[in-house]
Amino acid sequence: MSNSHAPLLGVKAGVVMIPLLGVSWLFGFLAPLHKVFTYIFTILNSTQGFLIFVLHCVRNTQIQERFKRKLNTVFPSVYTKNSAMKGSQTNPSAVEDIGATELQSCDEFELK
């Protein structure tokens, strides 16, 4: 990311965060007037963390890519093709009769 995009990202984050944080406090200031405002204030304040997580983490492509890489290290079969077949293939050169069939080792479950 270049330095020219940093201010734009800051403005974008501010445009999203100010209403998210400010609207709930409008209901907080109105809470003494009616009980409904107290409930709305409580619901909005309790969901702020989740909304910040969704708006800034889940939608961020860099975080999505890092999460996929982390999942790939924990569960390699999730993002690799034909990995289900790789772990249980038979070795045809080692097959002399039915009782001598050897299975190749499954590297997916070894701890590193």
Side-chain angles (χ1 to χ4, degrees):
M1 174 175 24
S2 66
N3 289 336
S4 64
H5 292 296
L8 182 63
L9 289 175
V11 169
K12 182 180 173 184
V15 167
V16 171
M17 295 299 283
I18 288 172
L20 179 66
L21 299 173
V23 169
S24 66
W25 279 100
L26 277 172
F27 290 105
F29 292 131
L30 295 174
L33 298 177
H34 200 276
K35 197 174 190 177
V36 173
F37 293 131
T38 305
Y39 290 121
I40 294 171
F41 173 70
T42 303
I43 291 168
L44 289 177
N45 268 344
S46 63
T47 59
Q48 278 181 357
F50 177 73
L51 290 174
I52 291 169
F53 171 72
V54 168
L55 293 175
H56 291 285
C57 295
V58 173
R59 293 180 53 219
N60 189 335
T61 56
Q62 288 178 336
I63 294 176
Q64 288 175 357
E65 289 301 317
R66 288 182 184 174
F67 184 70
K68 285 178 185 177
R69 278 188 280 158
K70 189 61 146 176
L71 271 180
N72 194 19
T73 59
V74 175
F75 304 109
S77 63
V78 174
Y79 293 105
T80 57
K81 294 181 180 178
N82 299 328
S83 61
M85 295 294 289
K86 181 179 80 174
S88 62
Q89 290 177 343
T90 59
N91 187 357
S93 63
V95 177
E96 294 175 8
D97 60 8
I98 295 175
T101 303
E102 295 182 83
L103 293 176
Q104 293 177 351
S105 66
C106 182
D107 294 332
E108 293 179 27
F109 299 106
E110 291 180 5
L111 296 174
K112 293 180 181 181

